[in-house]
Amino acid sequence: MNTMNLFVYLCLILLVFAESNNIFCMEEEKDPYNIGARYYEGRGVEVDKVEAAKLFRSAAEEGHVTAQYRLAVCYELGDGVNQDKAESFKWYQEAAKQRHIIAQFRTGACYELGDGVKQDKVEALRWFQEAASQGNLPSQKRVIKLK
């Protein structure tokens, strides 16, 4: 695994946990995304990544941006679903279109590396610039390198 892929993998793991460490109220517990997050991390239930991915998909298809991002991670890592880089890219891009900063970075990285999509340095730069404009430091570094 090259350095960039290792860095991205570690960032994904950290972000998944960072985004899910919130306190749930009764309304949130009815939300498929929040229930999926609990299954993914085993908070109050047994870890079940298959069920988590199903719930993330349900919420993602309704336009839930964080669910789209988490589903992309599931497909990238093969957590609860068969690993599928093209499907991962699809969901990263859906979340990126809604200005999810890490999804924008990952969409740029997919284009840069040809990971799940045809390699396209112009599109990579465009997505890195989107994330960089929101203050994403790794994207800012990629913009400098790709220009």
Side-chain angles (χ1 to χ4, degrees):
M1 184 178 288
N2 70 34
T3 305
M4 171 125 177
N5 286 344
L6 179 60
F7 172 75
V8 168
Y9 178 77
L10 293 174
C11 286
L12 289 172
I13 298 301
L14 289 172
L15 290 168
V16 164
F17 288 108
E19 287 188 349
S20 64
N21 285 329
N22 60 2
I23 298 172
F24 293 94
C25 68
M26 292 305 285
E27 277 302 305
E28 288 178 324
E29 290 192 17
K30 296 176 186 175
D31 174 50
Y33 167 74
N34 287 316
I35 297 167
R38 294 182 84 137
Y39 274 108
Y40 192 89
E41 293 136 22
R43 286 184 288 117
V45 296
E46 290 287 321
V47 170
D48 185 342
K49 293 191 177 180
V50 171
E51 185 64 21
K54 286 178 188 175
L55 290 161
F56 289 156
R57 176 175 288 282
S58 175
E61 288 173 346
E62 294 297 319
H64 190 292
V65 65
T66 307
Q68 291 169 341
Y69 169 76
R70 297 281 301 264
L71 184 59
V73 171
C74 288
Y75 277 108
E76 183 169 12
L77 303 177
D79 278 347
V81 294
N82 291 327
Q83 189 176 40
D84 184 333
K85 299 294 184 160
E87 192 71 8
S88 175
F89 171 77
K90 169 189 163 183
W91 288 108
Y92 278 133
Q93 191 171 48
E94 287 300 313
K97 289 175 187 176
Q98 293 193 67
R99 299 191 48 80
H100 189 287
I101 191 169
I102 305 304
Q104 289 175 334
F105 172 80
R106 288 299 303 135
T107 299
C110 288
Y111 273 119
E112 181 180 20
L113 302 170
D115 200 10
V117 66
K118 184 178 178 191
Q119 189 175 39
D120 185 332
K121 301 288 184 172
V122 173
E123 277 297 300
L125 181 59
R126 182 174 82 83
W127 284 107
F128 286 138
Q129 287 172 326
E130 283 288 324
S133 73
Q134 294 186 73
N136 181 264
L137 185 60
S139 291
Q140 292 168 356
K141 290 178 180 181
R142 299 308 306 152
V143 167
I144 291 167
K145 183 167 181 158
L146 289 175
K147 278 193 170 184

